[in-house]
Amino acid sequence: MFEALDETKPLSVRYLVLELENGEFVHLVGYDKDSAALTGLDAFKAFSADHAERRSGALARSAAKIVGNYRMLDNASEAMPA
């Protein structure tokens, strides 16, 4: 995913992946109006194709509102869509 994003450089996409101590991953995604710059990538399609088999639990999506940001996120003044 990150190679594809580095190659295509979509300005409308923000993407962060965290690995928790227990081995689970948290994906934070932000995009401006249209998610196609991310979901249209072949790498995203390949990544999401077998996603259900790799999950440890149910997929949980939720919109988020940034409450505070100290030098963690650039230009992070808007809500990130789920």
Side-chain angles (χ1 to χ4, degrees):
M1 284 296 306
F2 288 102
E3 283 182 24
L5 290 169
D6 283 340
E7 288 174 13
T8 58
K9 298 183 184 347
L11 296 177
S12 62
V13 173
R14 294 168 305 285
Y15 185 58
L16 173 72
V17 179
L18 305 171
E19 183 177 3
L20 304 179
E21 231 176 48
N22 65 2
E24 292 182 338
F25 292 87
V26 176
H27 298 254
L28 301 174
V29 180
Y31 52 85
D32 300 330
K33 298 179 186 171
D34 182 11
S35 64
L38 177 65
T39 59
L41 294 173
D42 289 340
F44 182 86
K45 292 174 185 174
F47 172 75
S48 59
D50 64 347
H51 188 258
E53 297 168 15
R54 295 181 281 118
R55 285 195 324 251
S56 61
L59 178 65
R61 292 182 182 197
S62 178
K65 176 181 163 186
I66 296 169
V67 176
N69 174 42
Y70 178 74
R71 298 185 337 139
M72 186 67 169
L73 305 169
D74 290 339
N75 302 318
S77 60
E78 62 197 53
M80 299 175 112

